[in-house]
Amino acid sequence: MNNIILLAPPAAGKGTQAGLLKEEYGIPHISTGDLLRGARNSNSENSKIICKMQDEGKLVPDELVLELLKERLDNDDCKNGYILDGFPRNIEQAKKYETLLEDLKLPLGLVILIDLDREIAKNRISGRLSCPQCGKIYNSNITELNPKNGNICDECNVELKHRSDDDASTYDVRYNTYLESTAPLIDYYESKNVLFRVNGNASKEDIYNEIKVIIDNNK
Ligand SMILES: [Zn+2]
């Protein structure tokens, strides 16, 4: 059983790690963003509520997110565990999530924090490029992710674009928001002895290997 909560500041490569773990352990990657998108596109009562809230720029209430999450975690493919991404974001949500787990008779599992320095993160962010045609991601500040020729996609021969949400100047705001909500969560999980820290300043492979060791030692 590998129930895993992934915590990380923006640009720490959380999505990448979740994808690798999903492959390795054959467990689903559950992001609350995806859950909401799925419910939004469904033909349900919830769909109407979510559309209305999101179109008005409001946050979908925790109760609704938890309802979707509970349904999702009750699926057979979660029997051997899952990777939870984007939830909980604060202590209140963490406590509600634990009640949900009790209802489903599931253990809390592990909380893995990918720690990343603000300055290193900003440097990564400012170098991120993507291909408008195939969507491949490059990074001019990370050697292994440089395009082969200038600012041109290796595959499509198309000029690469900076990702619009990757502006370094807005990164501080996003990082501060993360710190404010997640820092208390880190203490909370530390006090429950379920928190494991991984050095997010390392390469993608090293981060991945560190996470695997944690999971395999805590089965
Ligand atoms: Zn391309």
Side-chain angles (χ1 to χ4, degrees):
M1 172 75 75
N2 295 304
N3 294 350
I4 297 158
I5 294 173
L6 268 187
L7 299 177
K14 189 167 56 149
T16 307
Q17 296 299 330
L20 293 169
L21 293 171
K22 177 183 165 180
E23 286 295 310
E24 173 94 22
Y25 294 98
I27 55 179
H29 170 205
I30 299 171
S31 95
T32 42
D34 287 344
L35 279 185
L36 285 171
R37 262 187 298 280
R40 202 189 148 107
N41 296 329
S42 71
N43 205 350
S44 65
E45 214 33 55
N46 283 340
S47 164
K48 289 177 203 147
I49 301 170
I50 294 166
C51 288
K52 188 169 184 295
M53 308 275 324
Q54 290 186 333
D55 294 346
E56 289 171 3
K58 291 177 187 154
L59 280 178
V60 176
D62 283 353
E63 278 61 34
L64 183 45
V65 177
L66 284 154
E67 189 186 317
L68 297 172
L69 189 58
K70 190 171 180 181
E71 253 171 51
R72 182 67 188 86
L73 297 185
D74 207 21
N75 274 11
D76 276 353
D77 67 340
C78 293
K79 281 214 162 60
N80 293 321
Y82 52 84
I83 305 145
L84 189 54
D85 176 0
F87 197 91
R89 286 194 195 274
N90 54 52
I91 291 190
E92 203 189 327
Q93 289 183 346
K95 290 184 174 159
K96 289 176 184 168
Y97 172 61
E98 274 160 56
T99 310
L100 181 160
L101 291 176
E102 277 169 33
D103 289 348
L104 293 174
K105 300 191 167 53
L106 293 173
L108 178 56
L110 309 174
V111 180
I112 297 175
L113 169 68
I114 307 174
D115 244 337
L116 183 64
D117 286 347
R118 180 192 296 251
E119 288 313 309
I120 291 178
K122 269 169 92 167
N123 191 31
R124 283 188 188 177
I125 284 269
S126 65
R128 281 221 282 210
L129 298 162
S130 70
C131 171
Q133 199 158 309
C134 70
K136 191 171 174 194
I137 306 292
Y138 297 87
N139 197 313
S140 56
N141 293 333
I142 301 173
T143 315
E144 63 201 67
L145 295 177
N146 284 172
K148 289 194 184 100
N149 294 309
N151 263 5
I152 305 291
C153 178
D154 297 349
E155 320 283 338
C156 319
N157 230 357
V158 168
E159 190 173 351
L160 302 171
K161 300 248 180 289
H162 271 283
R163 291 171 39 151
S164 58
D165 61 337
D166 287 349
D167 190 5
S169 63
T170 62
Y171 188 79
D172 277 326
V173 178
R174 290 166 65 204
Y175 197 94
N176 286 343
T177 308
Y178 159 80
L179 275 188
E180 259 169 48
S181 56
T182 310
L185 208 49
I186 294 169
D187 293 342
Y188 177 76
Y189 283 128
E190 209 148 44
S191 73
K192 286 179 172 280
N193 285 321
V194 292
L195 186 94
F196 295 84
R197 285 171 197 268
V198 171
N199 176 14
N201 301 335
S203 71
K204 186 175 89 179
E205 289 74 21
D206 287 347
I207 295 174
Y208 181 54
N209 287 328
E210 216 180 310
I211 293 177
K212 269 201 304 192
V213 169
I214 293 168
I215 293 175
D216 295 339
N217 285 342
N218 288 281
K219 269 185 178 165

